Amino acid sequence: MVKRPTFDSTQLTRRAEELISAASNRYRITVQVANRAKRRRYEDFDNMDDHQMMKPVMRAIFEMSDELTQPEIIGDI
């Protein structure tokens, strides 16, 4: 059984709150995170790297919070 590394849950919570507060629509950002996590999950089968140790939803939250400077991710476009 593969052990997943532990991540700081406070950092994950802080990043998720940043995403929600920056978004104009809470439902939309939730769907965007879910869609990105689904894409990443399928990409993991093709690409075995160290990101595989992180769950897709967690990785999507971290990636999207890093990309807050790009308005097309959380904008109403």
Side-chain angles (χ1 to χ4, degrees):
M1 186 163 136
V2 177
K3 247 188 173 183
R4 295 186 188 272
T6 57
F7 294 97
D8 186 14
S9 62
T10 56
Q11 184 181 16
L12 179 66
T13 303
R14 181 185 54 81
R15 287 178 176 242
E17 288 174 357
E18 286 175 2
L19 279 175
I20 290 171
S21 66
S24 61
N25 186 330
R26 195 177 221 180
Y27 174 77
R28 185 170 182 194
I29 196 69
T30 303
V31 170
Q32 288 175 338
V33 168
N35 286 335
R36 177 169 300 196
K38 188 187 301 185
R39 280 194 309 270
R40 294 293 185 237
R41 190 176 110 219
Y42 291 118
E43 288 173 2
D44 284 346
F45 290 124
D46 300 332
N47 179 4
M48 296 295 182
D49 58 358
D50 59 345
H51 290 296
Q52 185 181 10
M53 300 302 287
M54 186 184 294
K55 291 185 177 182
V57 172
M58 292 172 59
R59 186 164 35 139
I61 290 171
F62 278 106
E63 288 175 357
M64 290 178 72
S65 67
D66 287 340
E67 297 170 354
L68 277 176
T69 57
Q70 297 178 8
E72 63 271 9
I73 292 176
I74 57 175
D76 288 331
I77 299 173

